Amino acid sequence: MRKILLIYTGGTIGMISNAQSGALESLDFAHLNAHIPELNRFDLEIEVKSFDTPLDSSEINPLHWKVIASWITEAYDAFDGFVILHGTDTMSYTGSALSYMLQGLRKPVILTGSQLPIGIIRTDGKENIITAIEMAAAHNENGEAILQEVAIYFESSLFRANRSSKISAHQFRAFATPNYPLLAMAGVQIEWYKENLFRTPLLELQSVFELDKRVLFWQLFPGMPIDLYAKSLEFPQVQILILETFGVGNAFSEPAFQALLQEFITKGGLILNITQCQSGAVQQGAYQTSTFFEKIGVISGADLTAEAALTKAMYALANLPQQQRAAFLKSNIVGELSVG
Ligand code: ASP
């Protein structure tokens, strides 16, 4: 019998509204289990591991990613697939981080959750959990897992996690991967889009558990008060600055802004350029307004999402020597970025 490890971290799926305030609060896994008797009907062995205190995903940080990555690593040989129940708010960050932390995966890791709690009659949680488990157990005739990467299952669609963003706070269709096609669709049958699935070149799982948070993220906007922002950009306290720029990677040519970036790079900092647009990629040099970035050695983040860029930067800082980080940031490591 195939074995699935179900990791419960919290999120709306397991919440119930507080009698006094009406605000949603997390409950333990027993509450969830009581609402999904279907979990016992699978022809699978499902083992559950739960955070001691289930969390709203706004509370999740790299220490929680470390716990999840180490649980998966410890259980890797004994299980066929992993399903993580997680709040939707930061699910794309967790999924992106895990994709770098668990390189070499040959088994599925699927995050899911819901927009409505499991106790609500119209909940989307039941279908999400049940199909995520089914996908995590799916294998081909040779017994190999069909999915061998970190993904998000939500509202009939399976997305590559490090390409995803939460796009809706109220629709059941809460996630999208505008720069990458779906990995699978669940209709009457589960349809796998095999040509879109990631396959690792690594021979075995290479887990890492440490990330380094010395990253700044600036979303540019017209009229941005550079002097205020400048105060936060101190090397070596900050090692990587991510700029979320306009269109295909453009920015204003304000001398104070350019001088600040130049100085940061001269001191040893790295700057990664990603776009504010939901889809499409940075193309430095396409417009006059991005030629300065090219000139001073800003790294093009191509079509990386903000979530994938931030977690990639944290991974690079903690796990790679300084001279390898720039090349790593611009390469496609686990399917997070389209090159060329
Ligand atoms: N605030 C919740 C969370 O991210 C939202 C959800 O799960 O849908 O934990």
Side-chain angles (χ1 to χ4, degrees), residues 32-44 46 118 126-127 129-131 133:
L32 250 165
N33 204 24
H35 283 91
I36 331 176
E38 291 86 347
L39 287 183
N40 304 316
R41 288 180 40 207
F42 272 112
D43 198 11
L44 295 167
I46 301 174
I118 202 79
K126 236 183 202 194
E127 194 280 325
I129 296 192
I130 289 170
T131 309
I133 292 177

Side-chain angles (χ1 to χ4, degrees), residues 12-69:
T12 294
I13 195 160
M15 290 187 183
I16 193 162
S17 59
N18 178 293
Q20 269 95 51
S21 67
L24 286 170
E25 292 173 351
S26 300
L27 284 188
D28 63 11
F29 186 78
H31 161 76
L32 250 165
N33 204 24
H35 283 91
I36 331 176
E38 291 86 347
L39 287 183
N40 304 316
R41 288 180 40 207
F42 272 112
D43 198 11
L44 295 167
E45 213 178 303
I46 301 174
E47 210 171 293
V48 178
K49 247 176 130 68
S50 177
F51 277 12
D52 290 341
T53 311
L55 298 172
D56 184 296
S57 74
S58 305
E59 311 280 7
I60 297 274
N61 63 46
L63 291 176
H64 302 108
W65 298 338
K66 179 176 181 171
V67 171
I68 300 171

